[in-house]
């Protein structure tokens, strides 16, 4: 009797796997370009690990750097970094869709699925139109931001340099990357009381961080009552976090002689607002981070962990996840059957997903912090914890540890940035074997909690 050959299981590349693979390829390409002699001012190129770290930080729109961007990279190297930021911020599938539309190619259903995963959209319906809207909005926001920053910088530097600085920092901050070319890791500390720079950068960060779906919804429905539930939750949560963060930073740093104390009252408010905005995954700063009080640093860690909103250029667990968890806790405390927002009942699946994302994120932060506490030379636990959350939230704020990382530490932080940008749940799904749905359910079980 002739035995039947076992048919090999077909390998299916799901949208999450393609999403992970696409970002990995972009990072490797960026690493190669940054390692070329033409990429650095000394003509030697970066070593492979520093090139990989920088490419990961740029593609994952984080902003953590092991070398100073302005003094290390040539114009070619800086343009490579800026290109990685733009592709990483928009998402490689959005960028690929833009190229396909330019050459009038039809977008296949599979490409629409990948685009849906990239934009964190709930449906493929109208996804190509959304991609067009995103590209248009990105060009307009970055264009206006570049112009305003260039005009302000033209008072401090030659016009050509001012234009380049305007473009670089507008693209970097709209995509919540936090890379800067001010030199010597100082970011915008020289403009701490300058409303032109501070407010333009803050607006760019907020617009990039609330999510493209929200921006599209606000543009089409200019009344709060007509907005979708998602948009209402994102805008209200963002507003509360920004207001609370500004007030707390103002209070906590008011008498700190290294930060707010020497500033005018207007400067104090501007600096407090900026320091509340930037932990929402941007990474630029007008106050020197190591000079902040311990309480402000801990507040910054909380804001970095929450991060931006779904479908945006930012990382973190996301504002909607945070809001859902608070809503679930409040419903449990008050004895309500359902979690409700704006007179809508939240389905249990969303609550489970929020819990899963937060738990995976917390475990990741704990494990990475533990590893870094072993491998790095510093005994400053807060510095290690701060850097880990900054990497996970793709923020880019640093207390100074990143440039001093060991080789193993750089690899760990690079992986953390990668997971933070793609989302811990997306990476987990991409790596895990998806089981077929079971046709039965186990009997109910019960045990004590709390």
């Amino acid at each position: 009797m002739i035995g039947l050959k076992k048919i090999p299981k077909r390998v299916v590349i799901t949208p999450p796997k393609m999403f992970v693979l696409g970002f990995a390829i972009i990072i490797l390409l960026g690493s190669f370009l940054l390692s070329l002699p033409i990429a650095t001012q000394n003509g030697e190129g970066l070593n492979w690990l520093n090139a990989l770290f920088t490419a990961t930080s740029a593609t994952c729109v984080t902003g953590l750097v092991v070398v100073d961007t302005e003094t290390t990279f040539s114009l070619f190297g800086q343009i490579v970094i800026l290109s990685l930021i733009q592709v990483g911020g928009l998402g490689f599938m959005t960028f690929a869709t833009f190229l396909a539309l330019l050459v009038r190619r039809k977008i296949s259903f599979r490409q629409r699925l990948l685009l849906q995963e990239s934009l964190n959209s709930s449906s493929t319906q109208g996804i190509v139109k959304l991609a067009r809207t995103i590209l248009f909005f990105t060009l307009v926001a970055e264009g206006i931001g570049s112009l305003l920053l260039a005009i302000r910088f033209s008072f401090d530097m030659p016009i050509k340099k001012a234009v380049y600085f305007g473009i670089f920092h507008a693209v970097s901050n709209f995509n919540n990357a936090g890379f800067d070319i001010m030199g010597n890791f100082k970011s915008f500390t020289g403009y701490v009381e300058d409303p032109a720079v501070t407010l333009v950068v803050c607006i760019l960060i907020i617009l990039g961080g609330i999510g493209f779906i929200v921006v599209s919804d606000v543009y089409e429905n200019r009344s709060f009552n007509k907005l979708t539930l998602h948009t209402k939750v994102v805008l209200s949560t963002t507003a509360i976090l920004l207001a609370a963060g500004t007030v707390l930073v103002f209070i906590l740093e008011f008498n700190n002689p290294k930060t707010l104390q020497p500033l005018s009252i207007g400067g104090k408010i501007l600096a407090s607002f900026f320091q509340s905005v930037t932990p929402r995954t941007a990474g630029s700063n007008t106050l020197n981070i190591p000079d902040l009080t311990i309480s402000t640093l801990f507040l910054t860690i909380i804001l970095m962990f929450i991060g931006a909103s779904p479908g945006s250029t930012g990382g973190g667990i996301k504002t909607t996840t945070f809001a859902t968890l608070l809503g679930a806790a409040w419903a449990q405390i008050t004895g309500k059957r359902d979690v409700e927002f704006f007179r809508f009942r939240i389905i249990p699946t969303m609550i489970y997903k929020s819990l899963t994302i937060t738990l995976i994120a917390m475990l990741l932060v704990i494990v990475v912090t533990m590893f870094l506490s072993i491998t790095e030379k510093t005994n400053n636990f807060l510095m290690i914890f701060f850097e880990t959350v900054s990497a996970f939230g793709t923020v880019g704020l640093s207390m100074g540890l990143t440039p001093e990382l060991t080789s193993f530490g750089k690899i760990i932080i690079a992986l953390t940035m990668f997971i933070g940008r793609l989302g811990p749940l997306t990476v987990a799904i991409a790596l895990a074997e998806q089981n077929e749905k079971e046709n039965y359910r186990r009997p109910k079980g019960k045990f004590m909690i709390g």
Side-chain angles (χ1 to χ4, degrees), residues 19 23 26 59 61 84-98 115 118-119 134-135 175 212 312-313 421:
F19 195 40
F23 266 88
I26 293 168
T59 307
V61 289
L84 292 174
I85 290 171
Q86 189 70 86
V87 175
L90 285 174
F92 74 95
M93 272 311 302
T94 309
F95 204 76
T97 301
F98 172 65
L115 192 57
S118 176
L119 297 176
I134 288 170
L135 291 165
N175 288 286
F212 297 117
S312 71
T313 59
R421 174 63 183 94

Side-chain angles (χ1 to χ4, degrees), residues 143-166:
I144 294 174
S146 299
L147 178 62
L148 293 175
L149 289 176
I151 292 172
R152 174 60 188 87
F153 290 147
S154 66
F155 291 94
D156 301 330
M157 59 189 73
I159 187 65
K160 287 184 179 180
K161 186 176 180 181
V163 170
Y164 175 61
F165 268 49

Side-chain angles (χ1 to χ4, degrees), residues 38-255:
I38 194 176
T40 55
Q41 293 187 19
N42 61 13
E44 297 177 1
L46 284 186
N47 65 59
W48 74 270
L49 185 54
N50 285 347
L52 177 66
F53 188 97
T54 305
T56 303
S57 184
T59 307
C60 297
V61 289
T62 304
L64 287 175
V65 290
V66 288
V67 293
D68 183 59
T69 307
E70 196 272 336
T71 56
T72 302
F73 294 101
S74 63
L75 179 61
F76 174 82
Q78 291 176 14
I79 291 174
V80 168
I81 290 172
L82 201 63
S83 301
L84 292 174
I85 290 171
Q86 189 70 86
V87 175
L90 285 174
F92 74 95
M93 272 311 302
T94 309
F95 204 76
T97 301
F98 172 65
L99 296 177
L101 292 173
L102 279 180
V103 297
R104 299 179 182 276
R105 281 189 59 187
K106 189 176 180 180
I107 310 300
S108 68
F109 181 69
R110 179 170 178 76
Q111 288 172 320
R112 291 170 192 266
L113 285 175
L114 293 172
L115 192 57
Q116 177 191 357
E117 181 72 26
S118 176
L119 297 176
N120 202 11
S121 176
S122 58
S123 171
T124 57
Q125 187 175 0
I127 199 72
V128 177
K129 180 184 176 182
L130 177 60
R132 287 197 190 100
T133 304
I134 288 170
L135 291 165
F136 175 75
F137 174 72
T138 298
L139 290 174
V140 171
E142 291 178 352
I144 294 174
S146 299
L147 178 62
L148 293 175
L149 289 176
I151 292 172
R152 174 60 188 87
F153 290 147
S154 66
F155 291 94
D156 301 330
M157 59 189 73
I159 187 65
K160 287 184 179 180
K161 186 176 180 181
V163 170
Y164 175 61
F165 268 49
I167 294 172
F168 189 99
H169 292 106
V171 173
S172 177
N173 285 284
F174 176 77
N175 288 286
N176 282 209
F179 275 84
D180 73 89
I181 47 175
M182 292 296 176
N184 299 317
F185 304 100
K186 64 184 180 183
S187 192
F188 296 112
T189 51
Y191 295 92
V192 61
E193 293 191 86
D194 192 317
V197 174
T198 298
L199 294 179
V200 169
V201 171
C202 282
I203 291 170
L204 286 170
I205 292 170
I206 293 169
L207 288 176
I210 60 176
F212 297 117
I213 295 173
V214 171
V215 171
S216 177
D217 188 26
V218 171
Y219 178 76
E220 292 178 3
N221 305 292
R222 294 179 178 87
S223 169
F224 188 81
N225 292 330
K226 294 180 181 179
L227 298 176
T228 63
L229 177 62
H230 171 80
T231 300
K232 289 179 179 178
V233 172
V234 166
L235 292 180
S236 57
T237 307
T238 299
I240 291 169
L241 289 173
L242 289 178
T246 301
V247 172
L248 287 172
V249 172
F250 186 85
I251 294 171
L252 296 173
E253 295 295 322
F254 190 85
N255 292 319

